[in-house]
C-alpha cells in the first residue's frame, strides 16, 4: 500500500499515519500513532525527510522515492524491489495509546 505525504501528520511527540482501506481491512480506514522515542528521534527524522523533499519542490505525493545521481529526488514513486516491503509494515507492532 503506497504511502503519500498527505497521509502523514507530524506532531511534536508523534507521527500519525493514515492508511486507506486494503484487502484485509475492507470498509475500514486505519490510523497508526507512532510515538517518538529519544533513541529513535522519529519526529526529527520524518521532519528532516519531508523538509528535504520540500526543498526540492515536492510537497505532495509519494513518501518513498528514488534518489537520482547528484542527490535529486525523482517525482515518481519507488517501484519494484526498492519499495519498502509490505511484510515490514504488516509485521510492525502498533504502538499503544497509553504513555
Amino acid at each position: 500500500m503506497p504511502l503519500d505525504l498527505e497521509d502523514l501528520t507530524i506532531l511534536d511527540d508523534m507521527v500519525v499515519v493514515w492508511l486507506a482501506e486494503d484487502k484485509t481491512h475492507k470498509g475500514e480506514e486505519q490510523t497508526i500513532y507512532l510515538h517518538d522515542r529519544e533513541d529513535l528521534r522519529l519526529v526529527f527524522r520524518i521532519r528532516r525527510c519531508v523538509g528535504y523533499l520540500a526543498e526540492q519542490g515536492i510537497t505532495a505525493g509519494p513518501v518513498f522515492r528514488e534518489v537520482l545521481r547528484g542527490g535529486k529526488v525523482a517525482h515518481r514513486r519507488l517501484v519494484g524491489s526498492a519499495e519498502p516491503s509490505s511484510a515490514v509494515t504488516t509485521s510492525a507492532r502498533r504502538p499503544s495509546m497509553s504513555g
Side-chain angles (χ1 to χ4, degrees), residues 1-53:
M1 159 179 357
L3 183 63
D4 290 333
L5 291 166
E6 299 86 351
D7 300 330
L8 301 176
T9 302
I10 305 168
L11 304 174
D12 288 338
D13 63 341
M14 75 176 75
V15 177
V16 181
V17 181
W18 175 81
L19 301 174
E21 90 172 33
D22 59 15
K23 289 188 269 184
T24 306
H25 302 92
K26 289 283 187 201
E28 65 182 78
E29 297 174 353
Q30 301 174 73
T31 303
I32 299 174
Y33 301 90
L34 301 170
H35 294 272
D36 205 1
R37 294 187 345 210
E38 186 61 37
D39 59 331
L40 293 179
R41 300 182 63 205
L42 177 65
V43 170
F44 168 79
R45 293 172 193 278
I46 295 291
R47 281 189 176 145
R48 188 171 176 189
C49 176
V50 169
Y52 183 73
L53 292 173

Side-chain angles (χ1 to χ4, degrees), residues 2-3 7 26-27 34 44 48 51 55 62 64 67 73 79 87 89 96-98:
L3 183 63
D7 300 330
K26 289 283 187 201
L34 301 170
F44 168 79
R48 188 171 176 189
E55 287 173 9
F64 301 106
V67 178
V73 178
V79 293
T89 57
S96 71
M97 288 301 292
S98 60

